[in-house]
Amino acid sequence: MSKRKNTSPGFDKIAQTRELPPLVLDQKWHQLFLDGSKPAKVAKLEQKVSGHLSRQGHLTQELKELKSLKNKLMKNIVANMDEIGETGQETRKLQEDRRLITEINQRMDSCRQELDELQELMKKDNEELMTETLEYCYGIMNSNEKEQEELAQWIAKTRTELKIKIIRKDAIEDQSRAIYAYLHDIFGAQVIGAFDLKYGEEYKKANK
């Protein structure tokens, strides 16, 4: 296929107005490139979006594990409150649990912040991927339309030529039959036998 031209302005604006999930999760999107024609820019953006999704999954799982661990520590603190002495000082174990909870809270905040940033990056890169996909599809369809027109013209021309050749073929056959019949009537079957006997049977049937 010839190199497609950038004749489709506005696809980036179209992509920005649509709230779509990541294209790499859509099997129908992957089917657009089954012939191995995926442009380099599309492949690069696909890797970026896939990387965002992988990181998002990792952070989501980490948040889940941190939340579970925090709940356990909170339960431990509540269960061991009676270990606080008359002076109101916590045991080393309780202090360690509180310290861990503080670290967990900080890490959870960090994960949530990174997830928010990832969401923005994902949106941006997915919009770019959508734009490149639209450009690619536009180029394919534009090229297909031109080829369809060329093929339609070729088919129409071929049909016309075929009709002409069929008419010519029938005319030749009619002429040969007429000549055979004429020669047969004038010179007789013995002389005509030297000719191709293709029309002999037809002549006999016609004159029965």
Side-chain angles (χ1 to χ4, degrees):
M1 186 186 72
S2 59
K3 184 178 181 181
R4 62 186 173 90
K5 300 177 181 178
N6 293 324
T7 55
S8 50
F11 282 157
D12 54 341
K13 293 181 180 178
I14 294 174
Q16 291 171 6
T17 61
R18 300 297 304 274
E19 290 293 335
L20 292 178
L23 292 180
V24 298
L25 298 179
D26 188 344
Q27 289 303 314
K28 290 184 178 179
W29 178 82
H30 288 281
Q31 290 176 3
L32 293 173
F33 310 99
L34 290 180
D35 60 353
S37 59
K38 188 179 295 180
K41 194 166 185 179
V42 169
K44 183 177 181 180
L45 286 167
E46 179 187 9
Q47 288 181 347
K48 289 179 71 175
V49 174
S50 296
H52 297 330
L53 285 170
S54 178
R55 181 59 179 165
Q56 184 184 59
H58 175 80
L59 289 170
T60 301
Q61 180 61 28
E62 185 178 356
L63 270 174
K64 182 179 179 181
E65 293 173 356
L66 288 170
K67 184 177 180 180
S68 177
L69 179 57
K70 178 182 175 179
N71 288 337
K72 290 180 180 179
L73 291 171
M74 292 292 291
K75 288 180 181 179
N76 286 340
I77 289 175
V78 172
N80 296 313
M81 287 296 291
D82 57 350
E83 294 183 7
I84 299 178
E86 294 180 358
T87 60
Q89 292 184 346
E90 295 180 345
T91 63
R92 184 173 299 177
K93 178 67 171 64
L94 285 174
Q95 290 176 351
E96 178 64 14
D97 287 346
R98 290 189 185 279
R99 185 189 67 79
L100 288 174
I101 288 176
T102 299
E103 289 184 359
I104 289 172
N105 286 335
Q106 291 174 347
R107 179 55 191 160
M108 289 177 72
D109 289 340
S110 177
C111 286
R112 292 190 185 101
Q113 182 179 352
E114 188 175 350
L115 279 171
D116 289 340
E117 293 171 354
L118 267 178
Q119 195 65 28
E120 289 300 315
L121 284 173
M122 183 111 61
K123 184 175 184 297
K124 173 180 173 294
D125 290 335
N126 196 52
E127 286 176 358
E128 287 188 32
L129 182 57
M130 194 186 307
T131 299
E132 290 300 315
T133 299
L134 289 170
E135 287 281 357
Y136 169 80
C137 291
Y138 177 88
I140 293 292
M141 294 178 70
N142 188 48
S143 176
N144 285 348
E145 184 177 357
K146 291 178 181 178
E147 187 175 357
Q148 280 178 299
E149 291 175 358
E150 293 172 357
L151 289 172
Q153 292 174 3
W154 180 87
I155 290 171
K157 180 181 178 182
T158 302
R159 282 176 178 168
T160 301
E161 292 178 352
L162 180 60
K163 289 178 181 178
I164 293 172
K165 290 185 182 296
I166 289 173
I167 293 172
R168 176 59 180 159
K169 172 181 173 291
D170 290 343
I172 290 173
E173 288 180 349
D174 289 342
Q175 184 184 43
S176 294
R177 288 191 187 96
I179 291 173
Y180 181 90
Y182 178 77
L183 294 176
H184 185 280
D185 290 343
I186 294 177
F187 298 105
Q190 187 176 358
V191 175
I192 298 304
F195 289 87
D196 186 351
L197 298 179
K198 177 179 180 180
Y199 300 102
E201 293 300 321
E202 293 184 14
Y203 178 83
K204 290 178 182 178
K205 291 178 180 178
N207 289 276
K208 279 184 179 180

